[in-house]
Amino acid sequence: MVDIVEWARHQERIFTNEQFGVASIRDITCIMGLLGKPPKKVLDMGCNDGGVVKKIRELGFEAYGVDLASVIDKAKAKYPEIKNYLYPLNLETEVAEDFENKFDFILALEVIEHLINDQKFLNDIYLYLKEGGLFYLTTRSDKTPVSVERAHFRHYSIQDLRKKVESSKLKIEELKEEDGLFLIGKKV
């Protein structure tokens, strides 16, 4: 495992909100601590502009991103060097069957609250993870007002998110509330 505190201090000079949007230094620090060392296959579900995918690839991991076609088009224009690793996928309605049991690690940063069918999304995480694979999910808590202008369909209590995740056969390793909900889980 990586020395997370030392790694975070070093990375604060590298990571910016412009590069990562919703991925905070705390998120990236946690992700790197969970990933360990390359080679590992990583999927960013709801990758937005591809900044996290780009940085994780630069660190030696085999990283891919999926999002809506219109979002992926913008990400490919912003980061043409990773265009072959970004795929259009409607997380509400489509399943990437060739992703089944392919990934060691999946990111879902501030995505689930935007989806009507959140259970399908969690089931897809289970489908795409290899046995023993980890995922890191962040979302708004029910203590944060729902943002209609940001297309949030819901926010979660710890109990609601726990039930949803467990019903998708994923095991929760850690779930905490700290300015939102942060969940580390595993396919067993």
Side-chain angles (χ1 to χ4, degrees):
M1 285 292 217
V2 173
D3 179 340
I4 293 174
V5 173
E6 185 55 39
W7 190 90
R9 283 190 196 118
H10 172 71
Q11 295 308 319
E12 285 188 34
R13 294 184 295 275
I14 297 172
F15 295 125
T16 66
N17 280 342
E18 182 181 315
Q19 283 177 299
F20 293 104
V22 298
S24 68
I25 295 296
R26 175 185 54 207
D27 292 334
I28 298 299
T29 302
C30 184
I31 290 162
M32 296 313 298
L34 291 168
L35 272 175
K37 295 183 180 175
K40 292 207 175 108
K41 220 172 192 179
V42 179
L43 178 63
D44 185 353
M45 292 179 69
C47 68
N48 198 351
D49 74 355
V52 173
V53 173
K54 180 180 181 291
K55 183 51 76 178
I56 290 175
R57 288 192 74 77
E58 288 171 357
L59 294 170
F61 296 93
E62 189 179 340
Y64 301 86
V66 294
D67 212 318
L68 295 171
S70 60
V71 176
I72 290 297
D73 288 344
K74 290 176 187 171
K76 287 179 176 184
K78 184 170 183 176
Y79 299 116
E81 66 274 25
I82 62 166
K83 68 182 180 189
N84 295 330
Y85 309 103
L86 302 173
Y87 299 97
L89 183 70
N90 184 325
L91 299 172
E92 284 287 3
T93 60
E94 299 173 328
V95 175
E97 292 175 4
D98 49 332
F99 283 4
E100 287 183 33
N101 298 306
K102 296 274 191 209
F103 294 95
D104 301 294
F105 193 83
I106 291 179
L107 302 171
L109 303 174
E110 303 294 318
V111 176
I112 195 169
E113 67 272 13
H114 296 276
L115 303 172
I116 294 170
N117 192 348
D118 55 353
Q119 194 63 58
K120 178 205 172 291
F121 181 71
L122 292 167
N123 292 343
D124 289 349
I125 290 174
Y126 181 86
L127 182 68
Y128 301 157
L129 278 173
K130 291 178 181 176
E131 193 73 26
L134 295 172
F135 70 99
Y136 180 70
L137 181 146
T138 65
T139 188
R140 303 299 169 105
S141 82
D142 60 354
K143 295 177 181 147
T144 309
V146 173
S147 175
V148 175
E149 66 275 0
R150 297 197 64 168
H152 291 178
F153 290 103
R154 77 194 60 72
H155 292 169
Y156 298 85
S157 69
I158 283 183
Q159 297 80 10
D160 291 340
L161 188 58
R162 180 181 306 282
K163 277 191 229 175
K164 286 269 184 195
V165 170
E166 289 173 347
S167 71
S168 66
K169 301 185 218 165
L170 293 160
K171 181 181 180 222
I172 295 172
E173 298 285 311
E174 185 176 346
L175 174 57
K176 63 182 177 179
E177 186 169 0
E178 183 182 302
D179 189 32
L181 298 177
F182 303 87
L183 186 145
I184 299 166
K186 185 176 194 175
K187 179 176 180 176
V188 290

